[in-house]
């Protein structure tokens, strides 16, 4: 199963995760 | 010849089952290939081009398998009640194979889980997953397949493999094929208990400021936000901007709102937002003007959600949940879900191996697109099913049924439901960051 997020955010938004990285519920994905 | 015919012994050999299966799958793969070439599928991309399955021959073999039926049988088998003596041994074996952490389960007694399906959908202890204080957090345990910004209305499935955002969210579906149910969950018709607080089904009160994440919530969102207010907002905005050249609409779908609440002199010279195109056009303008949260009536009709705010971009993130992972998903931010679209489709595996070989995988698979808004504008979350986890559950949507057998299924169609009754103040189902939303079930 997969979850896709599509969202609008300011251009300064930046992902703190990288492809291939393991994440868990509640961990930061991105920040502004 | 007669003698040979009568005396020659006939010896029958069974055809190997595997060979028979390969032949049948090959025939079906060929039929699928021909059907795809003829464009029988109606999933279209941003250019109106039909999206079909393509890839190496292994993909066509995979597509020939009755994956939806296999998924339902798999779900039925995994919901069989297991003998109590077998459960600890079986679940520990499963955990060892797939790397589950049994220590963080809410109920650690393995004999309490009647089936593998129940164990698969296990709950975690409170505070097992602390929620970070960040604008966007992970909605699930898993692996990030890809993330980045959306360029040219296409989302990158994995590096170099893209699919259409319009097809993913159903923005350019064939109107003839859209099946609209629009049945909001009656249990979600929450009561507003205070100017700034409202309760969900569990009686837990939310703060508007925290939900919207915006100090404007308390001051600019009027109490009792309704369609009437939306329409009045529209009128006042048109008047204030002194719009000219707007065609005066005839008797449109929103005229009932006007008829019920307004007088003739108020309407003089104010056009009615009759068509989705017209409403969407001015919704975009309003976004550009930075007028903040749009009324739901405008947001719903904004074509393709193209009203991206000034200085904003569209971003995406794809998270893959492996079989051993915790399979409930949580809200990735504080947002309001305005509607959901359920796309029936195939149930291909979504493993990174298949994702890198089957373009349009997430557009072809069965999925539930939850559409709404957060403090920065448009926000959506799309749980995508797979062969082993074909069923998607949304806690606040009891009417949703996924992975069900159907006599006839039109590719590219979807059923839509609105959550506008969940909170009349916010025009949708409000969710806090980290709040459990639902999950994936086996089969």
């Amino acid at each position: 199963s997969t979850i896709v997020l599509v969202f609008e955010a300011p251009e300064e938004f930046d992902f703190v995760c990288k492809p291939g990285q393991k994440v868990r519920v509640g961990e930061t994905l991105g920040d502004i | 010849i007669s003698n040979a015919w009568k005396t020659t012994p006939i010896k029958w050999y069974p055809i190997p089952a595997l060979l028979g299966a390969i032949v049948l799958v090959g025939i079906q793969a060929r039929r699928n290939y021909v059907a795809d070439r003829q464009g029988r599928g109606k999933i279209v991309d941003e250019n109106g081009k039909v999206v079909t399955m393509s890839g190496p021959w292994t993909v066509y073999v995979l597509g020939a398998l009755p994956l939806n039926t296999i998924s339902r049988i798999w779900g039925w088998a995994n919901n069989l009640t297991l003998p109590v003596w077998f459960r600890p041994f079986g679940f520990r074996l499963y955990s060892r194979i797939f790397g589950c952490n049994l220590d963080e389960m809410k109920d650690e007694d393995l004999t309490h889980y009647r089936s593998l399906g129940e164990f698969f959908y296990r709950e975690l202890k409170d505070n097992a997953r602390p929620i970070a204080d960040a604008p966007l957090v992970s909605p699930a345990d898993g692996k990030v397949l890809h993330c980045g910004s959306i360029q040219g209305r296409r989302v990158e499935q994995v590096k170099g493999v893209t699919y259409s955002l319009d097809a993913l969210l159903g923005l350019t579906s064939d109107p003839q094929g859209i099946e609209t149910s629009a049945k909001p969950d009656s249990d979600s018709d929450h009561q507003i208990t205070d100017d700034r607080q409202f309760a969900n089904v569990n009686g837990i009160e939310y703060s508007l400021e925290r939900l919207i994440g915006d100090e404007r919530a308390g001051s600019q969102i009027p109490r009792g936000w309704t369609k009437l207010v939306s329409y009045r907002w529209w009128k006042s905005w048109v008047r204030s901007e002194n719009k000219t050249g707007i065609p005066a609409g005839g008797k449109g779908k929103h005229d009932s709102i006007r008829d019920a609440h307004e007088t003739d002199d108020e309407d003089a010279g104010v056009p009615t937002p009759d068509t989705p195109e017209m409403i969407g056009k001015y919704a975009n303008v309003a976004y550009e003007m930075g007028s903040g949260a749009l009324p739901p009536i405008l947001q719903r009709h904004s074509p393709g959600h193209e009203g991206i705010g000034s200085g904003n971009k569209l971003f995406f993130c794809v998270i893959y949940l492996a079989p051993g992972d915790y399979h409930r998903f949580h809200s990735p931010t504080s947002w309001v879900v305005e509607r959901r679209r359920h796309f029936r489709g195939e149930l291909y595996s979504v493993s990174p191996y298949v994702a890198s070989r089957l373009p349009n995988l997430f557009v072809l698979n069965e999925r539930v697109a939850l559409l709404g808004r957060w403090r920065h504008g448009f926000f959506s979350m799309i749980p995508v099913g797979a062969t082993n986890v074909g069923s998607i559950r949304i806690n606040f949507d009891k009417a949703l049924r996924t992975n069900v057998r159907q006599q006839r299924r039109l590719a590219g169609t979807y059923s839509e439901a609105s959550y506008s009754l969940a909170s009349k103040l916010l025009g949708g189902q409000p969710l806090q960051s980290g709040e459990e939303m639902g999950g994936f079930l086996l089969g």
Side-chain angles (χ1 to χ4, degrees):
Chain A
S1 42
T2 301
I3 294 176
V4 181
L5 302 176
V6 176
F7 54 94
E8 177 186 352
E11 289 178 354
E12 303 83 49
F13 180 86
D14 198 17
F15 284 102
V16 298
C17 58
K18 292 177 181 174
Q21 180 184 333
K22 290 213 168 196
V23 291
R24 304 210 301 177
V25 171
E27 288 182 359
T28 304
L29 282 185
D31 209 344
I32 299 173
Chain B
I1 292 172
S2 173
N3 188 48
W5 178 257
K6 290 175 183 172
T7 57
T8 302
I10 299 173
K11 192 172 182 180
W12 294 91
Y13 294 93
I15 297 174
L18 182 63
L19 178 63
I22 289 173
V23 170
L24 289 175
V25 165
I27 293 170
Q28 185 62 33
R30 172 67 184 168
R31 290 178 62 187
N32 288 356
Y33 176 74
V34 171
D36 287 345
R37 297 256 314 181
Q38 291 172 347
R40 202 170 59 190
K42 288 291 182 184
I43 305 172
V44 292
D45 62 13
E46 70 277 14
N47 299 316
K49 189 180 174 185
V50 175
V51 174
T52 56
M53 186 181 68
S54 62
W57 67 271
T58 49
V59 165
Y60 283 94
V61 171
L62 187 68
L65 296 171
L67 296 173
N68 297 67
T69 305
I70 291 172
S71 180
R72 284 192 289 275
I73 293 173
W74 175 249
W76 169 81
N78 282 302
N79 279 302
L80 292 176
T81 302
L82 298 170
V84 176
W85 61 266
F86 177 77
R87 294 174 191 173
F89 168 74
F91 295 150
R92 281 208 178 89
L93 179 65
Y94 178 90
S95 304
R96 179 163 294 210
I97 294 171
F98 292 105
C100 310
N101 184 2
L102 300 181
D103 296 332
E104 56 187 17
M105 292 194 311
K106 192 168 194 174
D107 186 354
E108 294 187 25
D109 189 344
L110 294 176
T111 59
H112 291 174
Y113 299 92
R114 288 179 298 177
S115 62
L116 182 60
E118 274 195 16
F119 177 75
F120 188 81
Y121 201 65
R122 63 194 176 276
E123 278 186 278
L124 299 186
K125 288 175 182 169
D126 296 337
N127 302 320
R129 295 284 184 273
I131 308 301
D133 183 18
L136 187 74
V137 299
S138 175
D141 286 9
K143 184 160 75 172
V144 177
L145 279 189
H146 208 57
C147 58
S149 61
I150 294 177
Q151 307 293 338
R153 304 191 69 75
R154 293 196 76 81
V155 187
E156 214 164 33
Q157 183 172 306
V158 291
K159 198 68 184 171
V161 180
T162 65
Y163 54 90
S164 164
L165 173 66
D166 301 62
L168 177 73
L169 301 178
L171 303 179
T172 55
S173 293
D174 181 0
Q176 298 296 326
I178 295 176
E179 166 203 340
T180 303
S181 61
K183 290 179 182 172
D185 182 3
S186 57
D187 290 344
S188 300
D189 191 4
H190 311 317
Q191 297 297 314
I192 300 168
T193 56
D194 183 68
D195 196 14
R196 309 270 281 276
Q197 304 277 336
F198 56 95
N200 70 354
V201 283
N202 300 320
I204 302 169
E205 287 195 337
Y206 290 94
S207 157
L208 273 181
E209 285 86 346
R210 289 193 65 191
L211 278 165
I212 299 291
D214 194 334
E215 60 279 4
R216 293 178 308 190
S219 58
Q220 292 193 4
I221 295 181
R223 186 177 184 176
W225 188 265
T226 63
K227 286 183 178 177
L228 171 63
V229 175
S230 302
Y231 183 67
R232 284 186 173 158
W233 178 91
W234 158 264
K235 281 200 313 175
S236 63
W237 182 74
V238 170
R239 278 204 182 104
S240 65
E241 294 303 312
N242 191 24
K243 293 294 170 189
T244 55
I246 302 173
K251 195 76 176 175
K253 59 192 290 187
H254 304 294
D255 281 16
S256 57
I257 303 166
R258 179 183 61 180
D259 293 345
H261 299 289
E262 297 176 15
T263 58
D264 290 341
D265 55 345
E266 281 182 340
D267 282 341
V270 179
T272 307
D274 285 301
T275 63
E277 292 75 19
M278 186 176 164
I279 294 173
K281 178 181 174 185
Y282 289 99
N284 295 343
V285 174
Y287 254 118
E288 288 166 7
M289 291 171 61
S291 54
L294 285 172
I297 192 172
L298 295 182
Q299 286 195 337
R300 272 201 297 277
H301 296 292
S302 178
H305 294 284
E306 288 165 346
I308 305 302
S310 178
N312 282 2
K313 284 169 65 178
L314 276 178
F315 295 86
F316 74 95
C317 184
V318 184
I319 298 170
Y320 167 69
L321 288 73
D325 290 333
Y326 167 63
H327 261 70
R328 296 184 183 224
F329 48 77
H330 296 239
S331 176
T333 188
S334 296
W335 63 305
V336 176
V337 190
E338 293 178 335
R339 55 184 160 168
R340 65 116 162 111
R341 288 177 174 174
H342 173 212
F343 296 81
R344 292 179 178 84
E346 301 299 331
L347 284 172
Y348 298 112
S349 166
V350 292
S351 66
Y353 174 83
V354 176
S356 61
R357 285 162 178 78
L358 177 53
N360 298 310
L361 172 61
F362 301 139
V363 173
L364 296 170
N365 266 18
E366 182 162 0
R367 63 196 181 279
V368 177
L370 299 168
L371 310 176
R373 59 197 150 84
W374 70 326
R375 62 181 302 182
H376 301 294
F378 172 68
F379 196 92
S380 67
M381 177 171 168
I382 306 106
V384 184
T387 316
N388 61 333
V389 275
S391 299
I392 299 166
R393 177 181 289 176
I394 304 294
N395 292 347
F396 52 85
D397 192 338
K398 295 180 178 63
L400 177 65
R401 291 284 180 277
T402 58
N403 198 13
V404 292
R405 187 179 177 187
Q406 287 191 316
Q407 297 252 330
R408 183 167 172 264
R409 187 185 69 237
L410 288 172
T413 63
Y414 59 84
S415 57
E416 181 171 299
S418 165
Y419 300 135
S420 58
L421 288 181
S423 168
K424 292 175 183 174
L425 186 65
L426 295 171
Q429 172 68 44
L431 293 169
Q432 279 186 309
S433 184
E435 182 177 344
E436 185 184 315
M437 293 176 64
F440 295 99
L441 301 174
L442 273 181

